[in-house]
Amino acid sequence: MLKRLRVTLAVISITLVTLVFIDFTGLAASLFGWMAKIQFLPALLALNVGVVAALVVLTVLFGRVYCSVICPLGIMQDIFAWFGKKAKKYRYSYSPAKNVLRIVFFVAMVASIVAGIGAFVVLFAPYSAYGRIAQTLIAPVWAWLNNVFAGIAEHYESYAFYDVDVWLRSGVTLGVAVATLVIIAFLSWRNGRTYCNTVCPVGTLLGFLSKYSVFAPVIDKSKCNACGLCSRNCKSACIDGKNHVIDYSRCVACMDCIGTCRHGAISYANRYAKKAVSADESGAAVSGGRRTFVVTALATTAAAALKAEEKVVDGGLAAIEDKQIPERKTRIVPPGAVSIKNLADHCTACQLCVSACPNGVLRPSTDLSHFMQPESSYERGYCRPECTRCSDVCPAGAIRPIDVADKSSVQIGHAVWVKANCIPLVDGVKCGNCARHCPTGAILMVNSEPGNEKSVKIPVVNTEKCIGCGACENLCPARPFSAIYVEGHENHRTI
């Protein structure tokens, strides 16, 4: 019963999280975006005290339920481990905890967060690792399937689906996502929760708390015959069946051992009960534990539900594939990030903002100093003043919530005109695309030759009014580089 409950909740959890990452309409993010908010590391970086406290209490009471029910990377490990058990039954065995490695990875993570070294956090944060896999590998397949249905629907004169751009990320981003998936899949298929209990810093921290959890699987020595069946089915390798000992710092409360034991020697019960209980009382205790487990797990996953947002879709701009990225002196980070430093200090590079961006503006950085963290570029679209999707979904406080009015006045950069690329001067034809589409009126067209009304008009940028949205850069017809591009600002300011 407990195992079925855990599996059901885990399936629901990973399904909702995955939908948040791959849904291009924004509906899933508006309904289930709270699933990102209750992930441990994003909540910690966002100083979301309520969520962190709830997860700590949940762990102290019921063990590492977070790892088996809420964390998507943990659930993914269970999926691969399930396939491993199908290939070979009883493939696990008890092994002592590799505490030195656990401490090394944990200290390195803490030091990286304090020092602002984002690359380490990006690679080893569990939620971020799953986010990259979902957004880089699953989202393109989801978009392609949508386009297949759109084509079929159009054939029958139905427009229930619409075509979307299938965007494969850069080679570095794709390589990191594939490598992460392969490593996690191999370790899980072969040894179950090796990553979770050796590498994952969140698992180490929660493991320290679960070591003293109130409720956990308990071995009744009077019933146990030391057959070792529980040890050979424990994907956390934390049950020493011969000596009737469970390492609760590694136990993820998967409940596999309870269903495996043929003598009813293992039950989920209060570890600190003062007296032994009869079989009937034990059954009642387990039943009560089930009820408490259900209530707490559901309450935790529903605690941070967010207000639904309106569906905002791309305005129909066609992606221009042959534009090249200009060489910027300062990278551009989205409105709400406040500054490049604030984003670097809080971002876990989970890619949720990249997935939520409806115009293809955000993409993962390949620079090691801010590896996989989001940055803006305008080859595929521009940052629309009415869109606040990235700030709405960020779970870590790296992009703080802003409304439409605030966004329209936040200067994330300024436009720079490149005379050598400008079509009126190069080809002698009228243009003015940048001025026509500037949402703040920061670009004016003036005569290239002062006093000569017949001379071609060229753009002049008012940097005090420009907000750095990139409409001018994106819609400039010059190729391969735009005749006007945006330079980022280290610190954003309100104009």
Side-chain angles (χ1 to χ4, degrees), residues 119-177:
F120 190 89
V121 179
V122 165
L123 292 175
F124 294 100
Y127 171 70
S128 301
Y130 183 79
R132 284 193 302 276
I133 292 171
Q135 204 271 330
T136 306
L137 303 179
I138 304 177
V141 176
W142 181 266
W144 177 79
L145 289 173
N146 170 82
N147 291 348
V148 170
F149 282 112
I152 296 172
E154 185 178 0
H155 177 74
Y156 291 99
E157 298 183 351
S158 170
Y159 296 94
F161 299 89
Y162 57 89
D163 276 336
V164 295
D165 187 19
V166 179
W167 182 16
L168 296 177
R169 308 305 179 194
S170 69
V172 174
T173 304
L174 183 63
V176 171

Side-chain angles (χ1 to χ4, degrees), residues 152-328:
I152 296 172
E154 185 178 0
H155 177 74
Y156 291 99
E157 298 183 351
S158 170
Y159 296 94
F161 299 89
Y162 57 89
D163 276 336
V164 295
D165 187 19
V166 179
W167 182 16
L168 296 177
R169 308 305 179 194
S170 69
V172 174
T173 304
L174 183 63
V176 171
V178 170
T180 303
L181 178 63
V182 170
I183 292 171
I184 295 295
F186 175 76
L187 290 177
S188 304
W189 181 85
R190 186 177 181 186
N191 295 313
R193 288 275 186 152
T194 299
Y195 182 91
C196 196
N197 282 327
T198 304
V199 177
C200 179
V202 175
T204 298
L205 177 59
L206 296 181
F208 174 78
L209 297 174
S210 68
K211 195 172 182 179
Y212 308 99
S213 62
V214 177
F215 291 93
V218 176
I219 299 176
D220 185 344
K221 296 180 181 180
S222 64
K223 295 181 180 179
C224 179
N225 65 352
C227 68
L229 198 58
C230 54
S231 300
R232 287 182 285 164
N233 280 276
C234 178
K235 52 180 170 275
S236 294
C238 68
I239 302 179
D240 182 358
K242 301 295 183 182
N243 297 306
H244 314 290
V245 174
I246 298 177
D247 181 356
Y248 292 110
S249 72
R250 289 185 290 158
C251 176
V252 294
C254 68
M255 311 301 172
D256 287 355
C257 56
I258 297 175
T260 299
C261 183
R262 297 171 181 173
H263 304 283
I266 306 179
S267 61
Y268 187 75
N270 185 347
R271 293 169 55 200
Y272 302 102
K274 293 183 178 180
K275 63 176 182 177
V277 296
S278 65
D280 292 340
E281 291 172 333
S282 176
V286 173
S287 178
R290 290 172 185 163
R291 288 193 296 271
T292 312
F293 181 89
V294 177
V295 172
T296 305
L298 291 177
T300 302
T301 54
L306 304 177
K307 179 181 177 182
E309 63 181 4
E310 292 184 359
K311 177 181 176 181
V312 181
V313 297
D314 193 290
L317 293 175
I320 303 174
E321 298 295 339
D322 54 350
K323 281 240 184 190
Q324 293 189 25
I325 302 174
E327 186 175 344
R328 310 183 202 273

